[in-house]
Amino acid sequence: MTGVSFRPAETADAPTLVAIYNHYVTASSVTFDLDAWTADDMSHKIEAVTALRMPFIVAERDGDTVGYGYLSTFRDKAAYDKTMENTLYLRDDARGAGIGRSLLEELLRLGAVAGVREVIAVIANTPDAVPSIRLHEKAGFARVGEMDRVGRKFDEWLGVVMMQKSLVRD
Ligand SMILES: CC(C)(COP(=O)(O)OP(=O)(O)OC[C@H]1O[C@@H](n2cnc3c(N)ncnc32)[C@H](O)[C@@H]1OP(=O)(O)O)[C@@H](O)C(=O)NCCC(=O)NCCS
């Protein structure tokens, strides 16, 4: 994979990133959001993740923004502070070219630098999320649980798969 690089997201990226995300909100079950985000929503997310001192990165291919990923709070209670949930989205036409794999690797590398111990992926248990489940398996995430019928989208009850990767060796 050539020509792909990563850099920290800035609030100025919000309109581009929200366009990438909203494609999946409206066309796919990989996210359980039902309503499109605004650029302000994305801007606030970038600010919140940055304030947590967690990575929020943008993937660029030949200078073009093709995806993003970040680590954010898994659960609010303080004892969960070293456990983060990961999120990654590629522009639809940039999928299947190895970018997701290197984006996730970079996110995990930066997470370890930031002191994260455990990373959790909560992934829709739907056919359109199979690439994500496979990607996480390949990156060393273990499938640690499933919850059935916890979301409703496109007139269907949907479940999630929980995956976990440790960034430390005890
Ligand atoms: C999931 C996503 C980030 C993967 O990124 P990607 O660049 O498409 O994936 P890669 O090309 O890096 O592939 C990495 C691995 O994922 C798996 N994978 C990717 N696309 C796949 C597909 N269509 N079917 C099955 N497995 C697939 C493969 O195991 C692949 O490894 P391999 O090439 O050695 O077989 C990307 O497809 C995406 O943004 N999807 C929509 C949003 C989403 O699901 N986000 C995750 C929410 S939790």
Side-chain angles (χ1 to χ4, degrees):
M1 191 193 50
T2 55
V4 175
S5 59
F6 304 103
R7 63 166 175 81
E10 298 167 8
T11 51
D13 293 308
T16 308
L17 304 193
V18 87
I20 292 172
Y21 182 58
N22 282 342
H23 164 77
Y24 297 102
V25 175
T26 55
S28 154
S29 302
V30 295
T31 168
F32 281 11
D33 264 325
L34 301 178
D35 299 318
W37 283 27
T38 64
D40 271 355
D41 294 332
M42 187 59 82
S43 192
H44 292 148
K45 178 58 82 175
I46 294 167
E47 284 170 349
V49 170
T50 307
L52 270 180
R53 299 183 182 280
M54 285 296 141
F56 193 136
I57 56 174
V58 163
E60 291 182 327
R61 184 172 56 190
D62 303 324
D64 194 19
T65 298
V66 290
Y68 65 93
Y70 58 84
L71 298 181
S72 61
T73 305
F74 168 60
R75 304 267 284 168
D76 270 337
K77 294 186 172 65
Y80 287 110
D81 273 3
K82 299 290 180 195
T83 298
M84 293 288 144
E85 183 171 341
N86 75 306
T87 294
L88 62 165
Y89 284 89
L90 294 190
R91 206 173 67 196
D92 192 36
D93 64 356
R95 297 170 64 181
I99 300 173
R101 177 182 290 223
S102 55
L103 175 63
L104 181 53
E105 271 171 19
E106 179 65 359
L107 206 52
L108 297 177
R109 187 187 72 76
L110 292 169
V113 170
V116 174
R117 295 180 63 91
E118 300 296 322
V119 180
I120 309 293
V122 181
I123 305 174
N125 199 0
T126 59
D128 48 9
V130 167
S132 177
I133 294 171
R134 293 272 177 278
L135 170 72
H136 285 85
E137 283 170 352
K138 289 248 166 138
F141 282 70
R143 199 168 167 132
V144 291
E146 277 187 34
M147 293 188 288
D148 295 330
R149 301 174 301 278
V150 289
R152 187 166 177 83
K153 191 165 183 181
F154 304 139
D155 290 328
E156 265 191 286
W157 288 108
L158 305 173
V160 291
V161 176
M162 319 285 293
M163 301 187 76
Q164 177 171 1
K165 181 179 171 75
S166 184
L167 301 186
V168 290
R169 286 191 206 144
D170 283 335

